[in-house]
Amino acid sequence: MTSASPGPASGARAAHPDHLGHVIFITAAAAMGGFLFGYDSSVINGAVEAIRDRYDVGSGTLAQVIAIALIGCAIGAATAGRIADRIGRIRCMQIASVLFTASALGSALPFSLWDLAMWRVIGGFGIGMASVIGPAYIAEVSPPAYRGRLGSFQQAAIVIGIAVSQLVNYAILQIADGDQRGDILGLEAWQWMLGVEVVPAVLYGLLSFAIPESPRFLISVGKKDRARKILEEVEGESVDLDARVAEIETAMHRDHKSSFKDLLGSRFFFLPIVWVGIGLSLFQQLVGINVAFYYSATLWQSVGINPSDSFFYSFTTSIINIIGTVIAMVLVDRVGRRPLVLIGSTGMAIALAAEAWAFSADLVDGKLPETQGAVALIAAHTFVLFFALSWGVVVWVFLGEMFPNRIRAAALGVAASAQWIANWSITASFPSLADWNLSGTYVIYTCFAVLSIPFVLKFVKETKGKALEEMG
């Protein structure tokens, strides 16, 4: 597609919103989906061993129950873009809120193992929807001058959700005297861990009634006056609103609502830009980041750390995740997207290699030797830090920005779906791989971190400072 006319696009880039506080509130409310994304994804970490014990299942079956939510995530991500183009971004958020709420209640009160798995799939569908709608909506309501920082709210919310879930899990474990199956008011501790999610799920639904619809969606359904008003709220009165509406409308008339067939190219099935988005999504997951959030408590217990300390280390890892995300939010619009991911890939590769070395040691009395144990803990936190300050934030910013308007929603859905499939492959395979060779598993993750560097250098273009209408 051709770029937008210089006048409006340039004016949009230069504009600073008159009501930045209002824009931040809108962004934060939309990012509650990211909070639930992080919370729902990682809360299971505290319940893994209790579920294994209660239902007496092996590593393979347990991994499928943990990972099956990711199938729902992939379906939700693949369909959310189309749903959003039909009924709007806000309605999608409200549907996701209902799914999160139902999943939390069902997961806390399962009748059987497979009943629990079904509720996790439902929650996964909500996560998948939130993973697409959040970055797309934030990109569409954010003034270009602030889009990178506001876009990183999604990842900030995800990592805060992860940290809160681990803190809640740790607190519940203490109430249950360190027993994941301990009784609390008639329910086992792990059931409370999964059920507490009802609170943020309901809050997400309530907040969705307090924020406006995307101007681009409103223009697509002919509500230009309402879109103009929202653009004034988020981009400021100094912007030529008629020109901005005309710019967006022209782009939409020139293009059309995205569909799967719009993503197809003459070679290699998809258009090249879609493959780049898929590649970013795959590398983000194939470095094994979610092992740190789904299985960390189990991982540390497997090398001799007691349950209470393993939960504590899961929480400290989440705090490091937040610190890295804040660093990325500060730097993403200053140094650009590509430099951050290249720095992150290098740091992750070194940290993962250190973990692989540490886990290669033989256990002594069921524990890693002191030196290797210290290296494993430091490297695990370092890995999460470098991921958070780079791939964790920047991939979501890229996916919200890099696609042309005519394919953005559908392409984002395909890329996010690929991300969930990769996430599932890592999550489902880790318990069996760890039983086979824990050190070898981390060597595999190290290889993916190394391979991500030439991929970014060759295929990924910088999107810093460009208006969405310029992507082509």
Side-chain angles (χ1 to χ4, degrees):
M1 59 176 285
T2 57
S3 62
S5 59
S10 177
R13 283 195 298 274
H16 283 210
D18 297 328
H19 310 292
L20 184 57
H22 179 58
V23 178
I24 291 174
F25 170 76
I26 291 172
T27 303
M32 269 299 296
F35 178 92
L36 283 159
F37 172 167
Y39 195 103
D40 194 279
S41 296
S42 62
V43 71
I44 195 68
N45 186 21
V48 172
E49 291 306 306
I51 292 171
R52 184 201 299 269
D53 182 62
R54 174 164 174 170
Y55 296 107
D56 191 24
V57 295
S59 294
T61 301
L62 179 69
Q64 294 307 315
V65 174
I66 304 306
I68 197 168
L70 302 172
I71 302 299
C73 292
I75 298 171
T79 59
R82 296 294 303 277
I83 296 172
D85 282 344
R86 290 177 180 272
I87 66 174
R89 282 55 168 157
I90 300 300
R91 289 289 178 266
C92 275
M93 293 180 193
Q94 291 163 355
I95 292 172
S97 170
V98 171
L99 294 173
F100 281 125
T101 302
S103 174
L105 291 172
S107 297
L109 303 168
F111 297 107
S112 67
L113 184 65
W114 300 112
D115 173 44
L116 172 62
M118 179 193 73
W119 290 113
R120 285 188 51 72
V121 171
I122 291 172
F125 197 97
I127 295 174
M129 292 184 71
S131 74
V132 171
I133 299 306
Y137 175 86
I138 291 169
E140 291 176 351
V141 300
S142 299
Y146 294 89
R147 195 190 321 115
R149 278 166 285 180
L150 293 173
S152 61
F153 271 45
Q154 172 79 358
Q155 181 64 18
I158 292 171
V159 299
I160 291 171
I162 291 170
V164 171
S165 74
Q166 300 311 301
L167 181 60
V168 169
N169 284 355
Y170 182 72
I172 291 174
L173 187 69
Q174 300 312 304
I175 294 171
D177 296 324
D179 183 359
Q180 295 171 29
R181 296 198 60 192
D183 182 84
I184 303 175
L185 300 178
L187 296 177
E188 295 184 4
W190 69 271
Q191 293 177 276
W192 283 102
M193 293 176 187
L194 300 182
V196 169
E197 187 187 350
V198 167
V199 176
V202 171
L203 179 60
Y204 180 41
L206 294 175
L207 284 172
S208 70
F209 288 97
I211 59 177
E213 183 54 86
S214 160
R216 286 172 175 79
F217 172 75
L218 291 171
I219 291 171
S220 75
V221 294
K223 298 181 179 180
K224 289 188 285 186
D225 289 341
R226 177 61 181 153
R228 187 180 290 107
K229 186 175 186 302
I230 294 170
L231 285 168
E232 181 179 352
E233 291 176 1
V234 299
E235 296 195 8
E237 297 175 359
S238 60
V239 177
D240 187 337
L241 296 174
D242 289 334
R244 285 290 288 130
V245 170
E247 175 190 353
I248 296 170
E249 190 173 28
T250 298
M252 288 181 170
H253 284 165
R254 183 172 57 243
D255 305 324
H256 54 278
K257 289 186 177 180
S258 56
S259 65
F260 184 81
K261 68 180 180 180
D262 294 323
L263 308 182
L264 304 181
S266 57
R267 300 175 63 193
F268 307 117
F269 195 70
F270 287 126
L271 294 168
I273 190 64
V274 178
W275 280 116
V276 174
I278 291 172
L280 285 168
S281 292
L282 292 177
F283 277 116
Q284 189 198 52
Q285 296 301 315
L286 294 176
V287 295
I289 184 60
N290 281 309
V291 168
F293 301 122
Y294 297 165
Y295 293 115
S296 60
T298 296
L299 173 64
W300 296 127
Q301 289 174 55
S302 74
V303 293
I305 294 175
N306 67 60
S308 184
D309 285 346
S310 71
F311 272 60
F312 178 73
Y313 291 137
S314 295
F315 175 63
T316 58
T317 301
S318 300
I319 296 301
I320 293 295
N321 198 18
I322 294 175
I323 293 171
T325 300
V326 171
I327 293 172
M329 292 175 70
V330 171
L331 296 180
V332 67
D333 280 331
R334 296 184 182 182
V335 305
R337 285 64 159 148
R338 288 178 86 243
L340 280 182
V341 295
L342 290 170
I343 291 169
S345 292
T346 304
M348 288 191 300
I350 294 170
L352 286 166
E355 284 193 84
W357 173 80
F359 291 134
S360 68
D362 293 329
L363 299 183
V364 179
D365 296 326
K367 296 183 179 181
L368 283 175
E370 185 174 346
T371 299
Q372 283 85 349
V375 169
L377 282 171
I378 294 170
H381 286 74
T382 302
F383 164 60
V384 171
L385 176 65
F386 275 96
F387 176 86
L389 64 80
S390 60
W391 286 79
V393 167
V394 177
V395 168
W396 290 110
V397 175
F398 265 133
L399 294 181
E401 293 179 335
M402 66 187 292
F403 302 116
N405 278 338
R406 65 185 178 84
I407 65 168
R408 180 171 297 114
L412 210 165
V414 168
S417 182
Q419 184 174 130
W420 289 117
I421 292 172
N423 190 341
W424 173 82
S425 69
I426 293 297
T427 304
S429 64
F430 176 75
S432 297
L433 284 174
D435 288 346
W436 161 69
N437 190 317
L438 185 58
S439 176
T441 302
Y442 275 83
V443 169
I444 294 171
Y445 301 155
T446 302
C447 290
F448 282 118
V450 171
L451 289 172
S452 70
I453 297 173
F455 173 79
V456 171
L457 288 172
K458 183 171 179 62
F459 298 112
V460 179
K461 296 180 180 179
E462 184 62 75
T463 59
K464 172 187 172 184
K466 295 182 178 180
L468 293 181
E469 286 68 38
E470 294 179 78
M471 304 299 173

